[in-house]
């Protein structure tokens, strides 16, 4: 191992990996950790981390200014990719293609972490077959104010359903507020079929625990824990096991045994505690690849829902309109058809748009100060903090649902503060091009 003022050279399995600015702080608040600390963390759990990303194209989500800075997504492999690392060409719903990085070993893992990749975002396919996923992903996303106990309860309900259908789920904390349950499947079904199975699973869990779980895509209709079926759409990725999340305590996405779920606390798993756990219990998901399942039971469930008249659930906004999909517009903006009873429109207003989440939240607090009487009427889930994903970066939109505020007290839509939507220029260009 060699070190100079600007870099540290690691030799990993005979390959040299240069770590630039190794002492740069990636976490500086509750936990203090430098870039080299994060690299060493990943090398300490490398067999487990590689189990989730090996032989898969990976999107590089880069935090070049550390966990407290803004991240951006990089689909295309960097020009200075080492000769010993692979790429594979992926096609996207937009029709574009990209050469994406494939990480095969410890050296490749350290190399992408040096780029600022705190989180690992693999696609659910192997390089030998890019059109047929080998993983169904169940993403449990709790709404504002939803307690962690409810997330665990919904996770165990997912397990019960999977057990009844003869499928095996592998649980892990998301590393934030939710949980992920991955199901290894035979790579025989298309992305559309895997997503269709995920929609059926989400709706079935909602029927089993309707007070706790939701399969509704629009945030204004959700409650409790949202089962995000669209994480199975092509071009969507979620962070894999052992990923470091950009939270002040540097917590990580922790693979679990099912008997750990009922009592687990996501804050227990971070870059300081996970290496010791990995040495003690190894990787709870080490056997995942040996247990592929069939999607047929979930597809049969989907067919029953469709026969009962249930339309396809909404797709992500950048996908083309799909056959069988209902109108892709938020209920608060939907015009009632003459043949249908009118739906209640949610009184939503936007209060902040910014690439800086902290600035957006500060704008929300200023709005609350200006409209204190209305703010007192809001429930926890009336504040919608949306992480919006653009072509290469994320930004934050904050909306307020005034449904619990009497009409005479409802503030009018104002210019958001701040109002820095990085997609506005692109949307204006697209609208002009269409016209």
């Amino acid at each position: 191992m060699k070190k100079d003022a600007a870099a540290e050279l690691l030799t990993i399995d005979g390959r040299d990996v240069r770590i630039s600015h190794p002492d740069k702080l990636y976490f500086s608040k509750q936990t203090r950790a430098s870039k080299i600390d994060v690299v060493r963390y990943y090398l300490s759990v490398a067999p487990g981390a590689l189990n989730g990303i090996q032989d898969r194209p990976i999107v590089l989500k880069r935090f070049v200014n550390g966990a407290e800075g803004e991240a951006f997504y990089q689909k295309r492999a960097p020009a200075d990719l080492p000769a010993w690392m692979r790429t594979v060409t992926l096609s996207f719903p937009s029709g574009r293609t990209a050469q994406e990085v494939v990480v095969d070993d410890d050296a490749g893992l350290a190399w992408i972490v040096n780029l600022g990749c705190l989180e690992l975002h693999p696609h659910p396919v192997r390089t030998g077959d890019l059109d047929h996923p080998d993983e169904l992903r169940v993403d449990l996303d709790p709404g504002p104010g939803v307690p962690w106990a409810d997330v665990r309860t919904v996770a165990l309900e997912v397990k019960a359903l999977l057990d009844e259908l003869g499928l095996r789920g592998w649980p892990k904390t998301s590393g934030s507020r939710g949980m992920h349950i991955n199901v290894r499947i035979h790579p025989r079904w298309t992305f559309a079929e895997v997503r269709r199975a995920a929609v059926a699973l989400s709706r079935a869990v909602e029927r089993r625990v309707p007070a706790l779980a939701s399969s509704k895509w629009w945030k204004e209709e959700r409650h409790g824990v949202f089962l995000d079926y669209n994480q199975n759409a092509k071009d969507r990725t979620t962070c894999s096991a052992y990923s470091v999340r950009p939270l002040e305590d540097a917590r990580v996405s922790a693979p679990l045994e099912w008997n750990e779920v009922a009592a687990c606390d996501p804050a227990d798993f971070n870059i300081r505690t996970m290496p010791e756990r990995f040495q003690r219990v190894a990787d709870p998901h080490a056997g995942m690849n040996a247990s592929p399942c069939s999607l047929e039971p979930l597809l049969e469930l989907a067919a029953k829902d469709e026969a009962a008249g249930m339309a396809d659930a909404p797709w992500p906004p950048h996908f083309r309109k799909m056959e069988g999909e209902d109108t892709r517009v938020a209920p608060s903006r939907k015009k009632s058809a003459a043949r249908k009873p009118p739906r209640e429109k949610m009184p939503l207003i936007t209060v902040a748009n910014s690439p800086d989440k902290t600035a957006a939240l500060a704008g929300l607090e200023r709005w609350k100060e200006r409209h204190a009487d209305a703010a007192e009427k809001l429930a926890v889930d009336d504040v919608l903090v949306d992480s919006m994903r653009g072509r290469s970066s994320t930004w934050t939109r904050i909306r307020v649902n005034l449904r619990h505020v009497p009409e005479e007290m409802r503030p009018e839509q104002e210019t958001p503060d701040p109002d820095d939507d990085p997609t506005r220029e692109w949307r204006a260009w697209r609208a002009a091009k269409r016209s």
Side-chain angles (χ1 to χ4, degrees):
M1 181 184 301
K2 299 178 181 179
K3 184 173 182 179
D4 57 36
E8 185 166 337
L9 189 66
L10 304 181
T11 300
I12 304 170
D13 297 331
R15 289 174 172 151
D16 290 339
V17 181
R18 182 178 181 272
I19 307 301
S20 61
H21 306 289
D23 297 327
K24 181 176 183 178
L25 277 181
Y26 269 24
F27 295 88
S28 66
K29 297 180 180 178
Q30 183 176 336
T31 293
R32 290 183 65 85
S34 65
K35 179 195 280 192
I36 194 64
D37 291 331
V38 177
V39 172
R40 287 172 178 151
Y41 157 75
Y42 270 113
L43 291 176
S44 74
V45 297
L50 288 171
N51 191 40
I53 66 174
Q54 211 163 30
D55 195 35
R56 300 181 186 276
I58 189 168
V59 175
L60 305 177
K61 185 177 181 182
R62 300 178 61 181
F63 294 81
V64 295
N65 293 313
E68 291 140 26
E70 292 298 317
F72 67 91
Y73 291 89
Q74 181 175 335
K75 293 181 179 179
R76 289 169 174 78
D80 60 346
L81 191 74
W84 41 266
M85 288 189 72
R86 289 193 293 148
T87 64
V88 67
T89 303
L90 244 63
S91 60
F92 305 110
S94 64
R96 293 184 173 134
T97 61
Q99 290 283 117
E100 292 202 6
V101 171
V102 180
V103 176
D104 290 315
D105 51 31
D106 294 20
L109 178 60
W111 193 85
I112 66 169
V113 175
N114 177 60
L115 296 180
C117 295
L118 289 179
E119 302 175 352
L120 308 177
H121 279 257
H123 290 270
V125 292
R126 305 282 183 171
T127 60
D129 187 350
L130 299 175
D131 296 319
H132 297 91
D134 71 339
E135 188 167 86
L136 179 143
R137 295 172 173 177
V138 184
D139 181 2
L140 305 184
D141 182 11
V146 174
W148 173 245
D150 288 0
V151 179
R152 294 181 300 194
T153 299
V154 174
L156 293 171
E157 201 63 47
V158 172
K159 180 185 186 298
L161 175 63
L162 292 174
D163 288 347
E164 292 170 15
L165 298 176
L167 284 76
R168 180 172 182 179
W170 301 80
K172 66 184 183 73
T173 65
S174 71
S176 183
R177 298 182 59 245
M179 291 193 74
H180 298 156
I181 301 165
N182 296 335
V183 180
R184 183 68 75 241
I185 58 175
H186 296 286
R188 291 167 29 201
W189 294 274
T190 64
F191 276 93
E193 290 171 320
V194 175
R195 178 189 171 278
R196 179 170 171 248
V199 170
L201 182 147
S202 300
R203 287 170 168 170
V205 173
E206 182 179 35
R207 287 192 291 266
R208 295 167 74 111
V209 282
L212 299 181
S214 173
S215 66
K216 303 296 188 297
W217 173 251
W218 302 107
K219 282 194 173 184
E220 60 202 66
E221 290 191 314
R222 292 181 201 167
H223 66 276
V225 179
F226 171 51
L227 291 95
D228 190 354
Y229 55 85
N230 269 333
Q231 294 294 5
N232 294 275
K234 189 173 185 180
D235 192 26
R236 299 298 288 263
T237 61
T238 57
C239 69
S240 61
Y242 300 97
S243 286
V244 181
R245 305 308 300 274
L247 300 178
E248 291 185 1
D249 59 356
R251 68 180 62 180
V252 305
S253 178
L256 303 170
E257 300 284 358
W258 275 113
N259 60 13
E260 297 179 289
V261 169
C264 73
D265 183 342
D268 289 341
F269 310 108
N270 56 59
I271 63 171
R272 306 298 186 200
T273 62
M274 182 56 77
E276 184 277 329
R277 171 182 163 86
F278 190 81
Q279 290 297 316
R280 179 167 44 85
V281 303
D283 180 16
H285 291 188
M288 184 187 294
N289 293 331
S291 306
C293 304
S294 171
L295 269 190
E296 291 301 334
L298 279 172
L299 293 175
E300 291 173 6
L301 196 58
K304 291 180 181 178
D305 286 345
E306 291 156 9
M310 298 186 72
D312 189 8
W315 286 68
H318 63 286
F319 280 72
R320 63 176 175 81
K321 184 70 161 39
M322 300 294 179
E323 183 179 352
E325 182 185 2
D326 198 2
T327 304
R328 193 183 299 172
V329 61
S332 58
R333 300 175 60 188
K334 185 177 291 188
K335 294 180 179 179
S336 304
R339 64 181 181 278
K340 295 181 180 179
R343 299 181 63 169
E344 180 184 359
K345 294 184 178 181
M346 296 295 180
L348 295 174
I349 59 173
T350 301
V351 300
N353 295 312
S354 179
D356 184 343
K357 184 176 181 180
T358 300
L361 291 171
L364 170 65
E365 293 307 312
R366 289 192 294 272
W367 182 91
K368 288 182 176 179
E369 290 177 5
R370 291 195 305 274
H371 306 289
D373 291 343
E376 287 182 356
K377 304 289 185 182
L378 300 179
V380 173
D381 56 356
D382 286 339
V383 177
L384 309 178
V385 181
D386 305 318
S387 180
M388 311 296 289
R389 182 167 172 176
R391 293 176 63 183
S392 63
S393 62
T394 59
W395 56 284
T396 298
R397 177 184 68 183
I398 299 182
R399 296 176 295 165
V400 172
N401 191 336
L402 302 174
R403 59 186 171 177
H404 293 120
V405 181
E407 287 193 26
E408 64 275 10
M409 293 177 57
R410 291 177 183 173
E412 297 292 333
Q413 174 67 65
E414 305 167 343
T415 300
D417 170 29
D419 188 21
D420 186 10
D421 174 353
T423 68
R424 182 180 291 112
E425 183 177 344
W426 174 79
R427 287 189 286 108
W429 170 86
R430 187 177 65 171
K433 185 176 180 181
R434 286 177 173 174
S435 62

